[in-house]
Amino acid sequence: AQSVSQHNHHVILSEAASLELGCNYSYGGTVNLFWYVQYPGQHLQLLLKYFSGDPLVKGIKGFEAEFIKSKFSFNLRKPSVQWSDTAEYFCAVNVPGTYKYIFGTGTRLKVLA
Amino acid sequence: EAGVTQFPSHSVIEKGQTVTLRCDPISGHDNLYWYRRVMGKEIKFLLHFVKESKQDESGMPNNRFLAERTGGTYSTLKVQPAELEDSGVYFCASSRPGLPTGELFFGEGSRLTVL
């Protein structure tokens, strides 16, 4: 069965620090990959997605993620975080042709002003 | 366009009681999903509707959980009788007709606390 691992459960950074959140999945075939974010008091929303093509994808609010197939990874990055990036971040995978999304346990990011 | 709405936002019940959660998807979204997050764990798939039909209910924990989507519009998820381990946040999501090509649109979740 597919699974998603997010190794960092809690991350605390100061503003302007660089961010990298790890995501690894277990599935040998083709996958669609996603990062979702949940800001305090809000619903989960899509940050970025990868289906095919350029393995470096750019999302909203300056976030990007790189798909490394050989490492089964889809790490999320941002060069310089802001206080408003404080949120919980979820990595998810979907097998093309299916409806089910598999989510990781989430990473809670706190950015100190 | 109105988003996915869920009701109630928070429910506190005693073990053995019944709770019904409701989800109104985005209009025109045939696909409706229920997910659950137990504290600190992953967001786990419960089931998926296409219109009023259950396509995949492989994630439903047991027969105390019953989901319906009469008429293919809103959906309800009933837990009867509730147990302590049912506590968590229940998320509803919807997506456009056909296979997902990107985004699932989520509601804010219904937090269930079973005492």
Side-chain angles (χ1 to χ4, degrees):
Chain A
Q2 304 105 45
S3 66
V4 176
S5 296
Q6 292 183 244
H7 310 294
N8 316 101
H9 298 294
H10 290 91
V11 173
I12 301 175
L13 294 172
S14 298
E15 272 196 313
S18 64
L19 170 73
E20 180 158 2
L21 302 183
C23 172
N24 288 89
Y25 64 93
S26 65
Y27 183 72
T30 303
V31 291
N32 298 322
L33 295 154
F34 308 85
W35 275 96
Y36 278 81
V37 60
Q38 187 174 28
Y39 297 103
Q42 297 187 29
H43 58 89
L44 277 152
Q45 54 188 285
L46 184 68
L47 204 52
L48 49 77
K49 63 186 180 186
Y50 172 80
F51 275 35
S52 63
D54 188 343
L56 184 63
V57 293
K58 296 193 183 298
I60 59 171
K61 304 188 182 188
F63 285 91
E64 65 179 33
E66 184 174 13
F67 170 50
I68 303 179
K69 190 174 181 180
S70 60
K71 294 185 178 180
F72 299 91
S73 70
F74 189 56
N75 291 355
L76 180 71
R77 299 195 293 246
K78 185 170 184 178
S80 175
V81 295
Q82 301 172 308
W83 177 80
S84 57
D85 293 325
T86 294
E88 193 156 19
Y89 294 80
F90 295 89
C91 182
V93 302
N94 158 258
V95 175
T98 70
Y99 289 87
K100 193 184 297 186
Y101 285 50
I102 309 297
F103 285 84
T105 53
T107 298
R108 209 177 274 275
L109 171 67
K110 186 179 177 78
V111 180
L112 305 174
Chain B
E1 166 178 81
V4 177
T5 56
Q6 293 187 245
F7 182 84
S9 56
H10 193 184
S11 181
V12 181
I13 61 172
E14 304 228 332
K15 177 182 167 179
Q17 290 187 317
T18 297
V19 64
T20 300
L21 310 177
R22 174 173 168 143
C23 169
D24 286 77
I26 292 172
S27 177
H29 282 196
D30 288 352
N31 294 298
L32 187 149
Y33 311 79
W34 283 98
Y35 283 83
R36 177 174 75 171
R37 188 184 191 205
V38 172
M39 190 180 333
K41 306 271 184 160
E42 72 271 28
I43 300 171
K44 273 192 140 174
F45 171 84
L46 296 179
L47 87 159
H48 166 230
F49 285 98
V50 176
K51 297 185 180 179
E52 67 277 3
S53 300
K54 288 178 193 172
Q55 294 296 298
D56 181 353
E57 51 184 329
S58 60
M60 294 287 263
N62 50 60
N63 59 9
R64 294 185 293 103
F65 289 75
L66 175 64
E68 294 179 317
R69 192 181 181 195
T70 308
T73 54
Y74 71 91
S75 175
T76 57
L77 179 65
K78 182 192 285 189
V79 185
Q80 179 182 32
E83 298 288 343
L84 299 178
E85 65 264 25
D86 301 332
S87 296
V89 181
Y90 290 77
F91 292 101
C92 177
S94 69
S95 67
R96 296 185 175 92
L99 285 165
T101 55
E103 189 165 0
L104 293 185
F105 293 83
F106 281 85
E108 292 187 13
S110 290
R111 181 176 295 276
L112 174 64
T113 302
V114 183
L115 303 176

